[in-house]
Amino acid sequence: MEWNFQTAEELTTALRAGDVTSAELTDRAIARIERDDKAINAICVPDFDRARAAAHGADQARARGEDRPLLGIPVTVKESYNIAGLPTTWGMPPHRNYVPTEDAVQVSRLKAAGAVVLGKTNVPLGLQDVQSFNAIYGTTKNPWDHDRTPGGSSGGSAAALASGFGALSIGSDIAGSLRTPAHFCGVYAHKPTLGLAANRGMVPPPSPALPTDGDLAVVGPMARTARDLTLLLDVMAGPDPLTFGVAYGVTLPPARHERLRDFRVLVLDEHPLIPTGSAVRAGLDRVADALADGGARVERRSPLLPDLTEAAILYTQLLFSGSVARFPVEAYERLRIRAAQLSADDQSLDATRLRGMVLSHRDWIEVNSRRELHRHGWRQLFAEFDAVVCPITPTPAFPHDHDPDPMGRRIDIDGVDYPYFDQLVWAGLATMPGLPATAVPTGLSPEGLPVGVQLIGPMFEDRTPLRLAELIEQEIGGFQVPR
């Protein structure tokens, strides 16, 4: 039996039936990593000795009659999560020797659910890239094409899943960091509703691991099937016990519908600020056709949709105002001078990024007020629709680009160059208002690269896009082993 690409659900069934042990699954996963990861470089911090010990403990627990949601399942964890005894660097060389003494809350939840942690997966410097490379651990490669990126910042996790290095992984998302790697590597990911899953311990070193409410960032699950996403989200969801005094889960509303023909879906394939590449457009059409063939109501436009240009501007301002919050005073002052020199007529996203970096608190309050209006617009839209299907980025995985000036990089969309960070506008569509979004594979591009789309759902109705993802998977297929 080839266990490495079985789903967590299938592995749990086999473990319960006694067809395999956790020790066997863990040994096979480790053997595969040792065989294949020299080329991929997804697992930057292996933890094999403790994984084998945890697997042995899981087998003993099962022999005693215990049964937990992830008991004995091999998983990986994004490097940015604290794991006691392992380095947490966020790819930043000054912190290469920082080793926390306490697990992040989500790592604690994985372990409490019985998961076997194989190790940590690679990230970009400071988690601030659409790729995954840094000076400490090097470059992670896309399992489908080693000359291309697996995405970022959860690129190591997506590459690990696509390579058969564990059944599940956990990542984080502020600018598509779960969804883009899933799209580039042909796996599944879910960006939960803002605030649904506690994020304590997913913090840059050497900051203290405190319970905080993020403005945009979330933590979430990655898997090779939609059902496994739901399984892992149920483990991750819930407030921080330090805040609420006790550890308890959260009861999410059920999916709005169980059958495809009952869903009302808005499909978007155009953005006013960046074109959609032909391969991604074809993936969207495959999903739209499957929805229509299954009897769902599919629309291509709606007057209820919040303004996409303003949404992108608000998202960019919020994202970049936070990205420079800890910059040295001298660097911040240089940014402020550059921003003051911009022409008032320059309304490009490059200019918006620079202005966002030096946003005053007064201006941030105004941007936040505009965000609340967008949130209300989404509430109105989701009274008429159950989900929005749209791109994650405009293209499949692109070639590695290590230009030290990210602002100088370009993204090629069907032969035309665009500013590198402009590709974030689709990810920001769900991030800015805090909506849940599920990344699903839709097949391969003409070049043989994975293409995914995202299913955006109503706030705190995460089970609705997750259920739709399951139904789409049944119609058009899902994860494919890289070839």
Side-chain angles (χ1 to χ4, degrees), residues 244-378:
F244 284 80
V246 293
Y248 66 93
V250 63
T251 301
L252 290 171
R256 290 187 176 186
H257 311 292
E258 288 297 317
R259 302 177 302 182
L260 199 56
R261 65 177 178 267
D262 295 327
F263 275 86
R264 305 161 298 168
V265 181
L266 177 64
V267 177
L268 305 177
D269 60 6
E270 295 182 353
H271 196 287
L273 298 182
I274 197 165
T276 302
S278 56
V280 171
R281 191 180 296 274
L284 285 162
D285 288 342
R286 282 193 290 273
V287 171
D289 291 345
L291 292 169
D293 290 346
R297 175 187 146 204
V298 179
E299 303 287 346
R300 290 282 187 161
R301 57 188 54 82
S302 170
L304 296 173
L305 182 69
D307 182 81
L308 295 183
T309 297
E310 185 180 47
I313 291 170
L314 294 175
Y315 168 67
T316 300
Q317 291 173 313
L318 291 166
L319 176 67
F320 282 84
S321 68
S323 71
V324 302
R326 294 183 175 88
F327 273 29
V329 172
E330 299 81 10
Y332 180 84
E333 184 62 19
R334 287 194 296 270
L335 290 171
R336 192 191 63 77
I337 293 170
R338 284 175 54 200
Q341 294 170 343
L342 288 170
S343 166
D345 296 332
D346 188 349
Q347 296 301 308
S348 67
L349 284 176
D350 268 344
T352 302
R353 283 185 275 273
L354 185 53
R355 293 187 183 108
M357 290 178 187
V358 295
L359 207 64
S360 70
H361 184 61
R362 175 187 177 92
D363 290 339
W364 188 95
I365 293 294
E366 176 58 28
V367 172
N368 189 50
S369 297
R370 298 297 304 172
R371 169 166 49 184
E372 291 302 330
L373 291 174
H374 275 252
R375 281 179 172 151
H376 187 61
W378 282 102

Side-chain angles (χ1 to χ4, degrees), residues 18-33:
D19 295 335
V20 70
T21 66
S22 178
E24 291 170 335
L25 293 178
T26 300
D27 281 341
R28 292 200 184 196
I30 291 172
R32 190 173 189 92
I33 293 167

Side-chain angles (χ1 to χ4, degrees), residues 33-306:
I33 293 167
E34 290 177 337
R35 187 191 79 185
D36 294 347
D37 200 40
K38 292 181 181 66
I40 302 298
N41 192 33
I43 311 299
C44 61
V45 185
D47 197 20
F48 296 159
D49 289 343
R50 291 199 296 185
R52 288 190 170 102
H56 182 64
D59 288 332
Q60 290 180 319
R62 194 170 293 281
R64 293 192 300 268
E66 293 184 29
D67 192 10
R68 287 173 264 158
L70 303 178
L71 187 59
I73 304 297
V75 307
T76 60
V77 171
K78 187 175 182 177
E79 199 271 356
S80 49
Y81 285 87
N82 287 346
I83 298 181
L86 298 181
T88 296
T89 71
W90 287 42
M92 298 186 287
H95 303 296
R96 66 170 65 242
N97 296 319
Y98 177 73
V99 178
T101 58
E102 182 180 49
D103 288 343
V105 64
Q106 293 301 341
V107 174
S108 296
R109 287 176 179 174
L110 280 179
K111 292 180 178 179
V116 174
V117 178
L118 297 166
K120 303 180 84 174
T121 59
N122 203 21
V123 297
L125 176 67
L127 311 191
Q128 294 187 342
D129 203 345
V130 193
Q131 305 174 71
S132 291
F133 68 92
N134 60 75
I136 300 176
Y137 300 120
T139 301
T140 300
K141 298 171 183 176
N142 192 308
W144 288 87
D145 180 346
H146 294 182
D147 292 330
R148 295 175 186 264
T149 181
S153 60
S154 307
S157 287
L161 286 168
S163 301
F165 305 161
L168 303 167
S169 195
I170 59 173
S172 60
D173 193 311
I174 192 173
S177 287
L178 285 160
R179 292 162 287 164
T180 298
H183 159 45
F184 284 178
C185 293
V187 300
Y188 288 80
H190 181 71
K191 185 198 88 66
T193 296
L194 182 67
L196 176 61
N199 62 9
R200 175 168 48 90
M202 220 295 297
V203 61
S207 304
L210 301 174
T212 58
D213 294 322
D215 178 52
L216 296 168
V218 300
V219 296
M222 306 183 78
R224 288 190 292 265
T225 68
R227 286 176 63 88
D228 275 2
L229 281 184
T230 300
L231 172 69
L232 185 48
L233 180 66
D234 285 344
V235 170
M236 299 181 73
D240 194 308
L242 282 188
T243 301
F244 284 80
V246 293
Y248 66 93
V250 63
T251 301
L252 290 171
R256 290 187 176 186
H257 311 292
E258 288 297 317
R259 302 177 302 182
L260 199 56
R261 65 177 178 267
D262 295 327
F263 275 86
R264 305 161 298 168
V265 181
L266 177 64
V267 177
L268 305 177
D269 60 6
E270 295 182 353
H271 196 287
L273 298 182
I274 197 165
T276 302
S278 56
V280 171
R281 191 180 296 274
L284 285 162
D285 288 342
R286 282 193 290 273
V287 171
D289 291 345
L291 292 169
D293 290 346
R297 175 187 146 204
V298 179
E299 303 287 346
R300 290 282 187 161
R301 57 188 54 82
S302 170
L304 296 173
L305 182 69

